[in-house]
Amino acid sequence: MIDASTFLRRALLADAIFSGVAALSFTFGAGAFATLFNLPESLLRETGLFLIAYTALVGWLAARSAVPRPLVLLVVVGNAAWTAGSIVLLFSGAVSPNIGGELMVVAQAIATGVFAELQYVGLRKSGGVVTA
């Protein structure tokens, strides 16, 4: 466990809020977003369901003054992988989004990449190991 810096906790909280909004939107509005963005409804709904669990984890981390360093690193690496995976998805040909869909995927990829960077910086600003 490490002493989480205020910067890290705020970066995690911002990620939890952003992810929570996306989770609810994609889970309960998958059909509408599928039509709007020309993306598969199942992809959007499953993304939303995943983000519900992710939001709970990141929100839990944000609420703690001491956090497990490996878990925060997992969030950082996961966000970086999500960013790369989103861009790969667009170039893979597996989906054929319209321009709005492409812009949405790129925008959320950028936001997720920014969260990864902010969380990494916050992790580096965090204090040493906390003993029980």
Side-chain angles (χ1 to χ4, degrees), residues 3-14 62 64-65 118 121-123 125-127:
D3 185 23
S5 67
T6 300
F7 190 93
L8 174 60
R9 293 176 66 201
R10 287 182 180 160
L12 290 166
L13 179 60
R64 302 183 57 81
S65 58
L118 292 174
V121 169
L123 190 58
K125 290 181 179 226
S126 293

Side-chain angles (χ1 to χ4, degrees), residues 33-109:
F33 283 116
T35 301
L36 181 64
F37 297 131
N38 198 39
L39 287 167
E41 184 175 345
S42 60
L43 172 66
L44 295 171
R45 182 166 290 110
E46 290 167 15
T47 298
L49 292 171
F50 168 79
L51 287 173
I52 290 170
Y54 176 79
T55 298
L57 169 65
V58 177
W60 178 78
L61 287 170
R64 302 183 57 81
S65 58
V67 295
R69 180 179 173 80
L71 203 49
V72 175
L73 278 172
L74 179 65
V75 169
V76 172
V77 170
N79 277 338
W82 186 286
T83 298
S86 296
I87 302 307
V88 168
L89 177 68
L90 289 178
F91 289 105
S92 71
V95 296
S96 301
N98 57 27
I99 189 71
E102 289 176 356
L103 291 173
M104 186 275 297
V105 171
V106 169
Q108 65 81 36

